[in-house]
Amino acid sequence: MKEKYKILNFSAITDKRGSLIALENLKNIPFEIKRIYYIFDTKPEFPRGAHAHTNLEQVLIMIDGSCEIILNDGKISQNIILNRPDIGLYIGKNIWREMKNFSYGAKMLVLASDFYNEKEYIRNYDKFLKVAK
Ligand code: TYD
């Protein structure tokens, strides 16, 4: 069984010009990537997320800036600070996530295992707790 969530450490190729990280299906990303989106123009006073996915895996990467992710599997809640472009946060199915304390103008890259489908979102916390049981 895949982990519910885990930190992924990406190897950067660094030289005097800067650094580069490559992300590849089923290599350093533990699923086939079907969708990429990114969040930018963030502000600390506006949290995001507050939902779970019944049928989606994702990897979140803070390309620039920082934010705090709250993960909850229905039993245990854990806060993780993302603030490095060489760290990814894998989130499996049926995990409630909230994203808060974004730095101004942070840039979060998200890789997803499937296309956007609002029907597989759980946006109600009580409903999530029933599903997570
Ligand atoms: P939302 O779920 O509120 O974003 P977050 O997870 O960061 O809180 O999504 C914002 C809007 O964008 C909402 O109307 C759904 C839409 N959306 C898409 O159309 N495609 C996508 O791939 C995503 C992630 C969201």
Side-chain angles (χ1 to χ4, degrees):
M1 200 183 97
K2 271 188 180 170
E3 293 90 342
K4 294 172 177 174
Y5 50 84
K6 67 176 173 183
I7 294 289
L8 306 174
N9 292 286
F10 302 127
S11 300
I13 301 162
T14 300
D15 59 32
K16 64 184 178 191
R17 299 168 298 170
S19 295
L20 179 156
I21 290 175
L23 304 172
E24 298 182 290
N25 281 343
L26 299 174
K27 290 189 175 177
N28 54 359
I29 298 299
F31 51 77
E32 297 230 33
I33 302 158
K34 275 203 184 162
R35 175 168 50 115
I36 297 172
Y37 62 93
Y38 43 95
I39 292 168
F40 55 102
D41 280 347
T42 60
K43 296 173 186 71
E45 62 269 37
F46 293 113
R48 306 189 63 107
H51 59 253
H53 293 280
T54 55
N55 203 21
L56 189 73
E57 297 166 85
Q58 292 184 307
V59 172
L60 279 48
I61 306 163
M62 263 351 254
I63 297 295
D64 190 20
S66 65
C67 81
E68 187 174 350
I69 316 282
I70 303 152
L71 297 174
N72 183 337
D73 66 359
K75 297 182 189 82
I76 295 167
S77 175
Q78 190 178 351
N79 290 32
I80 293 169
I81 305 277
L82 284 184
N83 58 6
R84 298 174 56 127
D86 59 353
I87 295 282
L89 176 62
Y90 166 83
I91 309 178
K93 297 171 187 178
N94 291 316
I95 301 292
W96 187 265
R97 84 287 313 268
E98 295 175 20
M99 305 180 276
K100 65 175 188 179
N101 293 333
F102 281 96
S103 56
Y104 281 104
K107 291 157 193 75
M108 176 190 280
L109 181 68
V110 183
L111 311 178
S113 65
D114 213 339
F115 301 117
Y116 172 70
N117 175 9
E118 185 61 37
K119 291 197 187 90
E120 65 81 42
Y121 275 73
I122 306 174
R123 293 190 184 272
N124 178 294
Y125 187 66
D126 290 333
K127 187 178 164 200
F128 162 72
L129 288 178
K130 282 182 194 146
V131 172
K133 263 186 194 167

Coordinates of all heavy atoms in Angstrom, one line a residue, residues 36-87:
I36 N -0.8 19.3 -14.4 CA 0.1 20.2 -13.6 C -0.6 21.5 -13.4 O -1.2 22.0 -14.4 CB 1.4 20.4 -14.4 CG1 2.2 19.1 -14.6 CG2 2.3 21.4 -13.7 CD1 3.4 19.2 -15.5
Y37 N -0.6 22.0 -12.2 CA -1.1 23.4 -12.1 C -0.2 24.1 -11.1 O 0.6 23.4 -10.4 CB -2.6 23.4 -11.7 CG -3.0 22.8 -10.3 CD1 -3.0 23.6 -9.2 CD2 -3.3 21.4 -10.2 CE1 -3.4 23.0 -8.0 CE2 -3.7 20.9 -9.0 CZ -3.7 21.7 -7.9 OH -4.1 21.1 -6.7
Y38 N -0.4 25.4 -11.0 CA 0.5 26.1 -10.1 C -0.3 27.3 -9.5 O -1.3 27.8 -10.1 CB 1.8 26.6 -10.7 CG 1.7 27.2 -12.1 CD1 1.6 28.6 -12.3 CD2 1.7 26.4 -13.2 CE1 1.5 29.1 -13.5 CE2 1.6 26.9 -14.5 CZ 1.5 28.3 -14.7 OH 1.4 28.8 -15.9
I39 N 0.0 27.6 -8.3 CA -0.6 28.6 -7.5 C 0.4 29.7 -7.3 O 1.6 29.5 -6.9 CB -1.1 28.0 -6.1 CG1 -2.2 27.0 -6.4 CG2 -1.5 29.1 -5.1 CD1 -2.5 26.1 -5.1
F40 N 0.0 30.9 -7.5 CA 0.9 32.1 -7.4 C 0.1 33.3 -6.9 O -1.1 33.2 -6.7 CB 1.6 32.4 -8.7 CG 0.7 32.6 -9.9 CD1 0.5 33.8 -10.4 CD2 0.1 31.5 -10.5 CE1 -0.3 34.1 -11.5 CE2 -0.7 31.7 -11.6 CZ -0.9 33.0 -12.1
D41 N 0.7 34.4 -6.7 CA 0.1 35.6 -6.1 C -0.6 35.3 -4.8 O -1.7 35.8 -4.5 CB -1.0 36.1 -7.1 CG -0.5 37.0 -8.2 OD1 0.7 37.3 -8.2 OD2 -1.2 37.2 -9.2
T42 N 0.1 34.5 -4.0 CA -0.5 34.1 -2.7 C -0.4 35.3 -1.7 O 0.5 36.1 -1.8 CB 0.2 32.9 -2.1 OG1 1.6 33.2 -2.0 CG2 0.1 31.7 -3.1
K43 N -1.3 35.2 -0.7 CA -1.2 36.2 0.4 C -1.4 35.4 1.7 O -2.2 34.5 1.8 CB -2.3 37.2 0.3 CG -2.2 38.1 -1.0 CD -3.3 39.0 -1.2 CE -3.2 39.7 -2.6 NZ -3.4 38.8 -3.7
P44 N -0.7 35.8 2.8 CA -0.7 35.1 4.1 C -2.1 35.0 4.7 O -2.5 34.0 5.3 CB 0.2 35.8 5.0 CG 0.9 36.8 4.2 CD 0.3 36.9 2.9
E45 N -2.9 36.0 4.4 CA -4.3 36.0 5.1 C -5.3 35.1 4.4 O -6.4 35.0 4.9 CB -4.8 37.5 5.2 CG -5.0 38.2 3.9 CD -3.8 39.0 3.4 OE1 -2.6 38.5 3.6 OE2 -4.0 40.1 2.9
F46 N -4.9 34.5 3.3 CA -5.9 33.7 2.5 C -5.4 32.2 2.5 O -4.6 31.9 1.6 CB -6.1 34.2 1.1 CG -6.8 35.6 1.1 CD1 -6.2 36.7 0.7 CD2 -8.1 35.7 1.6 CE1 -6.8 37.9 0.7 CE2 -8.8 36.9 1.6 CZ -8.1 38.0 1.1
P47 N -6.0 31.4 3.3 CA -5.7 30.0 3.2 C -6.3 29.3 2.0 O -7.3 29.9 1.4 CB -6.3 29.4 4.5 CG -7.2 30.4 5.0 CD -6.9 31.7 4.4
R48 N -5.9 28.2 1.6 CA -6.5 27.4 0.5 C -6.7 26.0 0.9 O -6.4 25.6 2.0 CB -5.5 27.5 -0.7 CG -5.1 28.9 -1.2 CD -4.3 28.8 -2.5 NE -5.2 28.3 -3.5 CZ -5.7 29.1 -4.5 NH1 -5.4 30.3 -4.6 NH2 -6.5 28.5 -5.4
G49 N -7.2 25.2 0.0 CA -7.4 23.8 0.3 C -8.7 23.5 1.0 O -9.7 24.0 0.6
A50 N -8.5 22.9 2.2 CA -9.7 22.5 3.0 C -10.6 21.5 2.2 O -11.7 21.8 1.9 CB -10.5 23.7 3.5
H51 N -10.0 20.4 1.7 CA -10.7 19.4 1.0 C -9.8 18.1 1.0 O -8.6 18.2 1.3 CB -11.1 19.8 -0.4 CG -9.9 20.2 -1.3 ND1 -9.6 21.5 -1.6 CD2 -8.9 19.4 -1.8 CE1 -8.5 21.5 -2.4 NE2 -8.1 20.3 -2.5
A52 N -10.5 17.0 0.6 CA -9.8 15.8 0.4 C -10.1 15.3 -1.0 O -11.1 15.8 -1.6 CB -10.1 14.7 1.4
H53 N -9.4 14.3 -1.6 CA -9.7 13.8 -2.9 C -10.0 12.3 -2.7 O -9.1 11.6 -2.1 CB -8.6 14.0 -3.8 CG -8.3 15.4 -4.2 ND1 -9.1 16.0 -5.1 CD2 -7.4 16.3 -3.7 CE1 -8.7 17.3 -5.3 NE2 -7.7 17.5 -4.4
T54 N -11.1 11.8 -3.3 CA -11.3 10.3 -3.1 C -10.5 9.5 -4.1 O -10.2 8.4 -3.9 CB -12.8 10.0 -3.4 OG1 -13.1 10.5 -4.7 CG2 -13.7 10.6 -2.4
N55 N -10.1 10.2 -5.2 CA -9.4 9.4 -6.2 C -8.3 10.2 -6.9 O -8.2 10.3 -8.1 CB -10.4 9.0 -7.3 CG -10.0 7.8 -8.0 OD1 -9.1 7.0 -7.6 ND2 -10.5 7.6 -9.2
L56 N -7.4 10.8 -6.1 CA -6.3 11.6 -6.7 C -5.1 11.6 -5.8 O -5.2 11.7 -4.6 CB -6.8 13.1 -6.9 CG -5.9 14.0 -7.7 CD1 -6.0 13.7 -9.2 CD2 -6.3 15.5 -7.4
E57 N -4.0 11.5 -6.4 CA -2.7 11.6 -5.7 C -2.0 12.9 -6.3 O -2.2 13.2 -7.4 CB -1.8 10.4 -6.0 CG -2.3 9.1 -5.5 CD -1.6 8.0 -6.1 OE1 -0.5 7.6 -5.5 OE2 -2.0 7.4 -7.1
Q58 N -1.3 13.6 -5.4 CA -0.7 14.8 -5.8 C 0.7 14.9 -5.1 O 1.0 14.4 -4.1 CB -1.5 16.0 -5.3 CG -2.9 16.2 -6.0 CD -3.6 17.4 -5.6 OE1 -3.8 17.6 -4.4 NE2 -4.0 18.2 -6.6
V59 N 1.6 15.7 -5.8 CA 2.8 16.2 -5.2 C 2.8 17.7 -5.2 O 2.6 18.3 -6.3 CB 4.0 15.6 -5.9 CG1 5.3 16.2 -5.4 CG2 4.1 14.1 -5.8
L60 N 3.1 18.3 -4.0 CA 3.1 19.7 -3.9 C 4.6 20.2 -3.7 O 5.3 19.6 -2.9 CB 2.4 20.2 -2.6 CG 0.8 20.3 -2.6 CD1 0.1 19.1 -3.2 CD2 0.3 20.5 -1.2
I61 N 5.0 21.2 -4.5 CA 6.4 21.6 -4.4 C 6.3 23.2 -4.3 O 5.7 23.8 -5.2 CB 7.2 21.3 -5.6 CG1 7.1 19.7 -5.9 CG2 8.6 21.7 -5.5 CD1 7.6 19.3 -7.3
M62 N 6.9 23.7 -3.3 CA 7.1 25.2 -3.2 C 8.3 25.6 -4.0 O 9.4 25.5 -3.6 CB 7.3 25.6 -1.7 CG 6.2 26.0 -0.9 SD 4.6 26.3 -1.6 CE 4.5 28.1 -1.5
I63 N 8.0 26.0 -5.2 CA 9.1 26.5 -6.1 C 9.7 27.7 -5.5 O 10.9 28.0 -5.7 CB 8.5 26.7 -7.5 CG1 7.9 25.4 -8.1 CG2 9.5 27.3 -8.4 CD1 9.0 24.4 -8.4
D64 N 8.9 28.6 -4.9 CA 9.4 29.8 -4.4 C 8.5 30.2 -3.2 O 7.3 30.1 -3.3 CB 9.3 30.9 -5.5 CG 10.0 32.2 -5.1 OD1 10.9 32.2 -4.2 OD2 9.7 33.2 -5.7
G65 N 9.1 30.6 -2.1 CA 8.3 31.0 -0.9 C 8.0 29.9 0.0 O 8.6 28.8 -0.2
S66 N 7.0 30.1 0.8 CA 6.7 29.0 1.8 C 5.3 29.0 2.2 O 4.5 30.0 1.9 CB 7.5 29.3 3.1 OG 7.1 30.5 3.7
C67 N 4.8 27.9 2.7 CA 3.5 27.8 3.3 C 3.5 26.6 4.2 O 4.4 25.8 4.3 CB 2.4 27.6 2.2 SG 2.3 26.0 1.5
E68 N 2.4 26.5 5.0 CA 2.2 25.5 6.0 C 1.1 24.6 5.5 O 0.0 25.1 5.1 CB 1.8 26.1 7.3 CG 1.8 25.2 8.4 CD 1.6 25.9 9.8 OE1 1.7 27.1 9.8 OE2 1.3 25.2 10.8
I69 N 1.3 23.3 5.5 CA 0.3 22.3 5.0 C -0.2 21.6 6.3 O 0.6 21.0 7.0 CB 0.8 21.3 4.0 CG1 1.7 22.0 3.0 CG2 -0.3 20.5 3.4 CD1 1.0 22.7 1.9
I70 N -1.5 21.5 6.5 CA -2.1 20.7 7.5 C -2.7 19.4 6.9 O -3.5 19.5 6.0 CB -3.1 21.4 8.3 CG1 -2.5 22.7 8.9 CG2 -3.7 20.6 9.5 CD1 -3.6 23.8 9.0
L71 N -2.2 18.3 7.3 CA -2.7 17.0 6.7 C -3.4 16.2 7.8 O -3.0 16.2 8.9 CB -1.5 16.2 6.2 CG -0.7 16.8 5.1 CD1 0.5 15.9 4.8 CD2 -1.5 16.9 3.8
N72 N -4.5 15.6 7.4 CA -5.3 14.9 8.4 C -5.9 13.6 7.7 O -6.5 13.7 6.6 CB -6.4 15.9 8.8 CG -7.3 15.3 9.9 OD1 -7.4 14.1 10.0 ND2 -8.0 16.1 10.6
D73 N -5.6 12.5 8.3 CA -6.1 11.2 7.7 C -7.4 10.8 8.3 O -7.9 9.7 8.1 CB -5.0 10.1 7.8 CG -4.8 9.7 9.2 OD1 -5.3 10.3 10.2 OD2 -3.9 8.8 9.4
G74 N -8.0 11.7 9.1 CA -9.2 11.3 9.9 C -9.0 10.9 11.3 O -9.9 10.9 12.1
K75 N -7.7 10.6 11.6 CA -7.3 10.3 13.0 C -6.2 11.2 13.5 O -6.3 11.7 14.6 CB -6.8 8.8 13.0 CG -7.8 7.8 12.6 CD -7.3 6.4 12.7 CE -8.2 5.3 12.1 NZ -8.1 5.3 10.6
I76 N -5.2 11.4 12.7 CA -4.0 12.1 13.1 C -3.9 13.3 12.2 O -4.0 13.2 10.9 CB -2.7 11.3 13.0 CG1 -2.9 10.1 14.0 CG2 -1.5 12.1 13.3 CD1 -1.8 9.0 13.9
S77 N -3.5 14.5 12.8 CA -3.3 15.7 12.0 C -1.8 16.1 12.1 O -1.2 15.9 13.2 CB -4.2 16.8 12.6 OG -3.9 18.0 11.9
Q78 N -1.2 16.5 11.1 CA 0.2 16.8 11.1 C 0.5 18.1 10.3 O -0.1 18.2 9.2 CB 1.1 15.7 10.5 CG 2.6 15.9 10.7 CD 3.4 14.7 10.2 OE1 2.9 13.7 9.8 NE2 4.7 14.9 10.1
N79 N 1.3 19.0 10.8 CA 1.6 20.2 10.1 C 3.0 20.1 9.5 O 3.9 19.7 10.1 CB 1.6 21.4 11.0 CG 0.2 21.8 11.5 OD1 -0.7 20.9 11.6 ND2 -0.1 23.1 11.7
I80 N 3.1 20.5 8.2 CA 4.4 20.4 7.5 C 4.6 21.8 6.9 O 3.7 22.4 6.2 CB 4.3 19.3 6.4 CG1 4.2 18.0 7.1 CG2 5.6 19.4 5.5 CD1 3.9 16.8 6.2
I81 N 5.8 22.3 7.1 CA 6.2 23.6 6.4 C 6.9 23.2 5.1 O 7.9 22.4 5.1 CB 7.2 24.4 7.3 CG1 6.6 24.6 8.7 CG2 7.6 25.7 6.6 CD1 5.7 25.8 8.8
L82 N 6.5 23.8 4.0 CA 7.1 23.6 2.7 C 7.8 24.9 2.4 O 7.1 26.0 2.3 CB 6.1 23.2 1.6 CG 5.6 21.8 1.6 CD1 4.7 21.6 0.4 CD2 6.7 20.8 1.6
N83 N 9.1 24.9 2.2 CA 9.8 26.2 1.9 C 11.1 25.9 1.1 O 12.0 26.8 1.1 CB 10.2 26.9 3.2 CG 11.0 26.0 4.2 OD1 11.5 24.9 3.8 ND2 11.3 26.5 5.3
R84 N 11.1 24.8 0.4 CA 12.3 24.5 -0.5 C 11.9 23.9 -1.8 O 11.0 23.0 -1.8 CB 13.2 23.5 0.2 CG 13.8 23.9 1.5 CD 14.5 22.7 2.1 NE 15.5 22.2 1.2 CZ 16.8 22.1 1.5 NH1 17.2 22.3 2.7 NH2 17.6 21.6 0.6
P85 N 12.5 24.4 -2.9 CA 12.2 23.8 -4.2 C 12.7 22.4 -4.4 O 12.3 21.8 -5.4 CB 12.8 24.8 -5.2 CG 13.9 25.5 -4.4 CD 13.5 25.5 -3.0
D86 N 13.5 21.9 -3.5 CA 14.0 20.5 -3.7 C 13.3 19.5 -2.8 O 13.7 18.4 -2.7 CB 15.5 20.4 -3.5 CG 15.9 20.8 -2.1 OD1 15.1 21.4 -1.4 OD2 17.1 20.7 -1.8
I87 N 12.1 19.9 -2.3 CA 11.3 19.0 -1.4 C 9.9 19.0 -2.0 O 9.3 20.0 -2.4 CB 11.2 19.6 0.0 CG1 12.5 19.6 0.7 CG2 10.1 18.9 0.8 CD1 13.0 18.3 1.2

